[in-house]
Amino acid sequence: HTACDESKILEQTNPNAPAASTFWQTADDAKKGIMGAYAPFTDIWYYTRFEVFVSDYRDDLVNGYGTSERTAAGQFAGVPESNAAFWVWAAMFKGVSRANDVLANVPDIDMDQSAKDNILGEAYFIRAFNYFNLVNTWLNVPLIIVPAGEILNTREVPQADPAVVWEQIEKDLLEAQKLLPSDWSETDKGRVTNMGATAMLGKAYLYQKKYDEAKAAFEKILDPASGYGLEADYRDNFREASENNKESLFEIQLLADGNQGWCADCASHGTGAAFHQDLAPQSYTGQDGMRINQWALDLFLDETTINGEIDPRAFTTLFWNTTETTTYQGDVLQSATYEGTSFQDAYGATDQRIFASKHLDFEQGYSAASIGWHFSGNNLRLIRYADILLMYAEAEFELNGSTQVALDAINEVRARVDMPAFTTLTMQDIRDERVKELSLERSRYYDLLRWGLVKSRIADNSSIKSESGGTGAYQPGREYMAIPSIELDNSDVFTQNPGYNN
Amino acid sequence: LLVNCFLLTFLSAKDTSGQPMALEEVLLDLELRDADLVDFFEEANKQSPFTFSYFEKEIESKKIGNVSFKETSMEEALREVSRRANVQFRRVNDAIYVSRKKSSMSAVIDEQNSSELQDVTVSGQVLDEMGEGLPGASVLIKGTSKGTTTDINGQFSLVTPEDAVLIVSFLGYLTQEITLAGRSELNVQMELNAEQLDELVVVGYGTQKKEDMTGSVGLVEGDDIAKFPTVNAQQAIQGRMAGVRVETQGGSPGANAIVTIRGSGTLSDNGPLYVIDGMLTGSMSSLNPSDIKSVTVLKDASASAIYGSRAANGVIIVTTKKGRSGEVGIEIDASYGIQKAVKTLDWANARQYADIRNTAIDNDNARSADVPGFVPTPYSSANDSMFDPSIDSDIQGESLRTAPMSNLNMRIFGGSDNATYSISGNHMKQDGIVKESSYERFNIRANSTFTRGKFKFEETIGITRTINNPNNYFNKERDLIPTVPMYDADGNFTAERTDGADIGIGNITNSLGLASLEDRTVTRNTLIGNVAGSYEFIEGLTYRLNVGIEAYADNNYTFTPTFRFNDTELGFKQFAELKEQNTNYLSSLIENTLTYKKNIGKSEFEVLAGYSNQNGNQRMLGVVARDFPNNEIRVASAAADRAEMPSYDNTWGLISYFGRLNYVYDSRYMVTASIRRDASSFFKNHPWGTFPSFAVGWNLSNERFMESVNFVSNVKLRASYGEIGSNNAVPYVADPVYNVHSSYITGSDQSRQPGYANTQATNELLTWETSVITDVGLEFSVLRDKLSITMDYFNKESRDVIADYEPSPWTGKSGTVKRNMATIVNQGFEFMANYAEQVGDFNFNVNANFTYLDNEVTALGLSGPIPGGGYTSNGGSASLTDVGQPIGAFYGLKVVGIYQTDEAAVADNRPNAGAGDFIFEDVDGVPGITDEDRQYLGSPIPNFEYGINLSADYKGFDLTLFFNGVSGNKILDGTRYRGFFDTEGNYLAEATDGWSPTNTDSDLPRNSLIDPANNRQMSDFYLSSGAYFRLRNAQIGYALPTAWVNKLGVSKVRIYGTAQNLFTLTKYTGYYPEVGRGGRDRNSSSQKIFNAGVDESAYPTPRTFMMGVQVSF
């Protein structure tokens, strides 16, 4: 028996799936690899469901029912053992890990240079995008920029200084901006573009209060040459028929194709939205659900359109007890939910609770939220042109105060929904406009966080979380989520975030 | 037991005095048809003074055909016979010695020696080591060929020169020379010659003299296995030897058994390595127990390290029955019997059930009565206003039955000096005592050996087909309750009240209906066998090539037709569903070994060197299909929805080099050293492992200073140390791959794009588990070898034990990864004794063994404590494997009483508890019951196991009683959960005795549906002692007198009756204390080892009565 025979017996390669050692050979492999890096966005643990528990469920609009471990973070009672926290964290790191695999392997593939550049740009974006979420949600996270297999002693990997993470985010987005195309072919629509990367870069600057850099980045998008702009109808941002429109800079591509599996990365894994269960009005959901705090509705009702009617965005965003209507884009808007049910029909004439309406897709014909999981294919827009305008206005305001530049930006957003133009601006106007325009679009909590308002708006205001026991669990530091306990168990150097060590 | 057997046979012991006659003077007159030599000798002996003396082996079955001598001289007759049978004769005085013809010699040599000295008659007795007469011993006059043999009483009488020296010999005894010195009477005390008794034990890659063994092995003879009609070969070794635990997985027909040798040194269900006639495999369940000649269990490192990376959990070597030279033998063994449940559980009848529910609702209402606005819960109408006394379903009673079992074995064997063969067939069929379950097995096994000069060739092949039909529904949660009918008016299965009564339960099924409607079989066709050739180059140096193969094809088929028992989730099936999987497995082994045996002076050497490789491939294709045209079409292609197609293809390979040295000096000092180097394809970056062992033995009884010690014999001390491995992994475990299902959506048409991702964590550093075993043993015999005893102390430390570990999520990988992490120590003491006695025609033998074992996890590494042992689908773990505890130790609260008042519960800081609820022991000092009050409640692993085998025979009768037992373990009885707390099934009748204000001395909590005090959580309420002592097997047989059966042309007929589990002493509350590793898989690795001792619907073990007949031709 020769050595050759021996190696044949010992070196068995797995025929059930492509071996890591033989992958990354062709342009096709590169594309499959980058698709794999996008894939976690549609995990049930990420944007198709669980992400909402670490973003909107923690903000000052959402008053979650019950005290499940999913809603616990919303009342500052999230614990390191909480599955919800751990799952979202894990899904984000899946994106990081796969982006790292692409960045490590694709450069060596012999393929068309621009196609290669585009894919590398996507990987930089995906890594930065996930780290943006991670650093804003957990603050003290490990910074992993090489394939996981290259890290031999995982117990020694430390949490990075958040400043270093921010630095990496900027660096990655600058790379992405350089490498990404301005547009994709029809079949590739939905993949991130260079303006998508620019939008994230501007947002990253804004979050770090680097207003000059933020403004400069946003200006590239506001330049008509970018091809981006507001949709005429506000509602088009939440309709399946108008996915990947000119307002959308980055959106999660969702598809309801009958698969309802919760298993990420399996053949039957659902890729439709499944957060409806958590956003739906009470009794339309099989989950705990939530209601919206009164102040949000009051904010909408504080002013009227140029026609003296309720802000049309209120009807898109909320479901409440009103018989008033607004005529918008030729339609009569009214408060209604699944199957066109009015609030009074659903809850009686006296119930004054407010529920969410945005993202519930009842216009698309979904009859109730309790029919199952992953049933909506409506894409989830995460950065859109209106947000760019508002962030731009904010950066300008922070730099120069209530200038015409800032006014023009915010008024463009207001004009689309028939709201009267501002003539002067305060920071509160900008903040309020963001609530009206962007509520339930996964940014409110992070806005409060970067403005330093989490404690005063939420923690000190127990009624915001009255449906799940108030905010008594708050401790300084709990603005950020707890580091999942499994990470602490598996590490010799990780430390728990402040506020979680008893 | 292999005895190198040759017998010098004298035809008769008779007085050889008298005047010798010349061969020519003796005339014969005889006529024989189709005669062989012995026939001739018998006849010639009758007609002459001559005694014929020969080695049986030399002249066996020499045919001489038809002979006819009329007044023929003996000399002439002998010449004729010599020509026909190619033998030669040599006459010395009255003895004629027969041997094979050597061409140089004449056919008949007549050496009539007349003695010069005066002859005397000497008589006496030859005694064995126990002082009893030794029949058939040879007494020869030294320097001559003259002699005699002793009679049945060991007596002899011989005419001999007065100064003669007598040589007294008998197989197995030391030959003695006695100088007469004028004596005419003498008694000769014989001494056993242990060397000649050469009991050979099958060990790894060969055999070893038992006397010279340094390792610890256990041995079961095939005769002991074949005696009882066990279905499974693993069950057949239960209780037979110390240190070997056989956990039968309940009493299901064809149920597998898990074999653990010297305690679990692994956190998996990995079992021992099986070597079946030289083929290395993972199971012996395909074997027909009747085909087994012997089972050797290699327990310590000295014995097992030669099997390297697969031996850490022990090695079981199975040798099947072979042919032998001689006439064709035919054996038939047919038996038939019935099985019945040993015990039934006392479930509530309809009235009791309704009462328990109603009491529970009363109790729950009373508890909440003072809550403002409280509305009392009403009774379910089926238990109250609409209680229907005509409905009283007894699902247990309907499901159990008396079931038949039959077994038929046939074997044909025989051979010549140069070739032997054995062919056997078996058919076994067992219907389960639970309806809708059965098991059937067909076996054919054939083997043969061929010898030519220095070349030897052997092969063995076994073909098995098993058809298993398991009933997985019996005794499960959410089964039929007594107030709901089991059959509808047409006699079809149902689970519905047609009168619209509220039964109070949302979801019930009909387990017997489900088992009956569902169509399922697990069929396996197995082929296992090997061919081996060996060649002896020079004396003692043998090369052997062994090629083995194991192949099986599985079909696992389940078809569930559409049915409707009721409208609940479990009660109907809208679409028929087919689940079918076909698996093909092929493993091949090539082994090259070279052995060299050499004796130099008092030193005996045996050196073994070997190289082997083995590989295996398993390929599976399955389908899950739903929605068929009708319930009769049960093939996937007809389904409207072919939903899933699970499949895989796994290959593994192993390369090994091994060597062993056995050295024995003067039968006193023994040394064994072995080493094996294995490389496995499982461990990509660390394929090679090296497994050395070293052992010494000291046979004290062969020392001079022991010569005068008479009370004890065969004293041997031995000690061994070694490291052995376990390649406890699966193919590709260290091989990162890309998942092909990580798709994402793009495009205006929003379609899924294929996405690949490295999703599964792998540990490329994964390597062997290593067990370090130290063993010290003592063997000795007393009472003139009637009683022999073996004792062993062992310490097995298993290191780098592989456990599943959840990797850091920041790696972006999911699932668990196997890592070498834990350390487990097993320490124990083993004792085996055998006592044999013979009194006249009465023989009996007692064989007893016991094992004391202590299993402890001493390190767990990263994985942390491992929960396991789910006993209900409603959550809850019964066991927690942690450092300092045995594997799968039960963990929960301890019940110390029942609250008699609500105030007592409040005082204990248990606001939700009240009168009638459990008082749990509060051990953490923190008020109230917290997780910290959970404690270890016992081990599922017995620390003491024993077996006693009694056998006796008297004339044609024989009796065997085999007892075994365990103690020190606990069993979790899942029926106590269902019977007292689960609200979605029947209750145990005992629940009527729950605590109430009028029944305050009950040990059972009050009935409740809402259980606010959480009485149901894991506690010792569910645990029983797992100790049992039972009569595992009893058999009585009678062999018909030979004279009768010979007339029928049969050599032996034996009829027998057997009973299994005739009695079992146990305190266990469930069906039977043999529960195996049941439970639900609660831990991520789904290893059943963490569920040991958890009886969650284990199949009841039956009591079996069988009658059988054995016939030999």
Side-chain angles (χ1 to χ4, degrees), chain A residues 6 16 18 186 189 265 269, chain B residues 649 657 738 742 747-748 752 862:
Chain A
E6 291 201 349
N16 299 289
E186 279 303 299
K189 269 225 176 325
D265 304 302
H269 97 265
Chain B
D649 186 341
Y657 297 90
Y738 272 72
S742 302
S748 315
R752 279 200 193 208
L862 305 171

Side-chain angles (χ1 to χ4, degrees), chain B residues 372-514:
Chain B
F374 172 72
V375 181
T377 307
Y379 293 159
S380 302
S381 56
N383 300 329
D384 185 37
S385 56
M386 294 177 76
F387 181 80
D388 181 348
S390 72
I391 302 171
D392 193 354
S393 297
D394 175 10
I395 188 86
Q396 174 186 244
E398 286 289 315
S399 298
L400 294 176
R401 65 178 170 190
T402 299
M405 176 177 178
S406 67
N407 199 6
L408 175 64
N409 281 308
M410 280 186 71
R411 192 163 85 95
I412 299 176
F413 56 97
S416 66
D417 283 354
N418 299 322
T420 66
Y421 60 87
S422 168
I423 301 161
S424 63
N426 164 251
H427 174 240
M428 201 283 303
K429 187 167 192 326
Q430 183 184 11
D431 284 346
I433 56 167
V434 176
K435 286 176 189 167
E436 305 298 336
S437 63
S438 63
Y439 181 78
E440 191 171 11
R441 186 184 62 222
F442 301 87
N443 265 94
I444 295 175
R445 174 161 284 275
N447 59 57
S448 45
T449 62
F450 306 92
T451 313
R452 190 188 162 112
K454 293 175 165 184
F455 180 74
K456 194 176 174 190
F457 179 85
E458 56 200 309
E459 47 64 31
T460 163
I461 188 164
I463 299 169
T464 307
R465 175 175 173 83
T466 57
I467 303 151
N468 191 8
N469 167 26
N471 177 344
N472 296 322
Y473 298 105
F474 176 67
N475 196 25
K476 287 264 165 48
E477 291 177 345
R478 300 191 179 94
D479 204 352
L480 198 73
I481 53 174
T483 53
V484 169
M486 195 170 171
Y487 302 100
D488 64 16
D490 301 329
N492 297 318
F493 290 109
T494 187
E496 186 173 51
R497 285 275 292 242
T498 48
D499 56 7
D502 167 26
I503 59 166
I505 293 182
N507 214 350
I508 62 170
T509 187
N510 180 329
S511 63
L512 182 59
L514 207 52

